[in-house]
Amino acid sequence: MDLIKMTAHELKDRLESKEISSVDITKSYIDRIDKVESSVNAYITLTTSQALARAEEIDDRRAKGENLGILAGIPIGIKDNMCTKGIKTTCASKMLEDFVPPYNATVTQKLNNEGVVLLGKLNMDEFAMGSSNENSYFHKTMNPWDLTRVPGGSSGGSAAAVAANEAVFTLGSDTGGSIRQPAHYCGVVGMKPTYGTVSRYGLVAFASSLDQIGPLTKDVEDMALVLNTITGYDKLDSSSYNKKYEDFGENLTKDIKGKKVALPKEYFSDGIQPEIKEKVIDVAKKLEELGAIVEEVNMNMTDLALPAYYLISSAEASSNLARYDGVKYGYRANNYDNLVDLYKQTRDEGFGKEVKRRIMLGTYALSSGYYDAYYKKAQQVRTLIKNEFDKVFEKYDIILTPTGPSTAFKIGEKINNPIEMYMNDICTVPINIAGVPALSMNCGFDSNNMPIGVQFISKAFNERTILQMAYAYEQNRDLPNITPQI
């Protein structure tokens, strides 16, 4: 029995039947981390001793017959921009290299209440700014399918850990595709829920109107399990939506006959790798075989999403990151002449190149004389993009698109070309701008045996339909027997 290859729901069933123990699972994952982590570099901070102690505690409670959460005893990893009490939360930045939060993020606390076993904090692009995981202050994470390629970003560590079997599931954050794009590159399932369904309290802010926490899992059923645990209203988060959330797994096995699927022509343009177009069209054909109705549509605002996103997100980042000044907490420069120089030296030394680039862009967009021309205009475009999604969803249940324009590229290939790097998010940023949910999952491989992701998108708070459609495809897809390099 190879425990590290099992899904969360498979492990859950065996734990509940007492066929295996949480200690068994945790030791298997720690052994796996010891074996491959030096090659993958998915983690920033490992908490293996605490993990074993936690697993023993869960096993003792189970033996006593206590009521436990549905994910009790399952070993997981959390992206290093979510606060964990007593455990470093660095955002992969020199600025927060030694920051230990005095409290838990709401999602962290919810998972703790479930009884999960935390293996550690996962690597990311600094302050979640990046599409390749090459912007971490600590080290680059490698793609388990090919160690010479990037795992995607900013949640690259979260995706790589699942793909390399270094965690059963992980949490990531998605501002413009930072869960779905790494899921695409690493061949796992990744979902950005509707904005406001998962509390952002304790998530270190990048762009507050776009950031959303979501899971990365081995299959769709696991996705439903984790969403059931982390969603819900939180009075500590002013953007949290107060509603009753139904069981995300309830509709998984239902027939999809009659469901209407939209294929936007703009997502299949010349800029999309031909092999990706082919595989996504194959998904559409499979859904048709299962009874869905697939039609082409136009979404003419798509080309405007990327520039609008980078203006809005950079403006919000420049505001959110103003708090890192060397006075209150975090890194402080050692040599400075006065208070203003302290600010300058601290921010110059503490932030990486990509973070500085986005702060400068955002500050410029918000500056006097340019606010109306850039930031205000981007917000107006945002409204038009949201309206376009709303219009499509009046007729269709799902929008089906590629997750990204290309498969995982070589490490270093695009790091010196910011515009080319930003183009990797062209298929994912419109979803964040509209605030709607989307899921990426593997639908095949390219000629280099690298995973290809397909993206299921639906209207706000319609995650259950996404999961139903994705599950139907997952149960009927025919993928070649290709496995990660590591």
Side-chain angles (χ1 to χ4, degrees), residues 220 248 250-257 259 287 290 398 439 456 462-475:
V220 175
F248 289 100
E250 191 174 42
N251 291 340
L252 279 188
T253 58
K254 287 187 178 179
D255 194 346
I256 66 167
K257 187 175 181 180
K259 293 289 186 184
L287 295 177
L290 297 171
I398 289 287
L439 175 146
F456 293 78
N462 201 28
E463 284 85 354
R464 295 206 306 170
T465 297
I466 289 178
L467 293 167
Q468 179 189 358
M469 299 289 282
Y471 184 80
Y473 169 68
E474 184 180 64
Q475 297 305 302

Side-chain angles (χ1 to χ4, degrees), residues 32 35-36 39-40 142-149 163-164 186 410 445 448-451 482-486:
R32 176 65 176 174
K35 182 179 179 181
V36 305
S39 298
V40 178
M142 316 302 177
N143 191 315
W145 292 87
D146 180 345
L147 296 175
T148 67
R149 296 178 186 266
C186 292
K410 295 280 188 178
F445 300 87
N448 293 313
N449 291 335
M450 295 306 295
I482 301 172
T483 56
Q485 187 181 87
I486 196 161

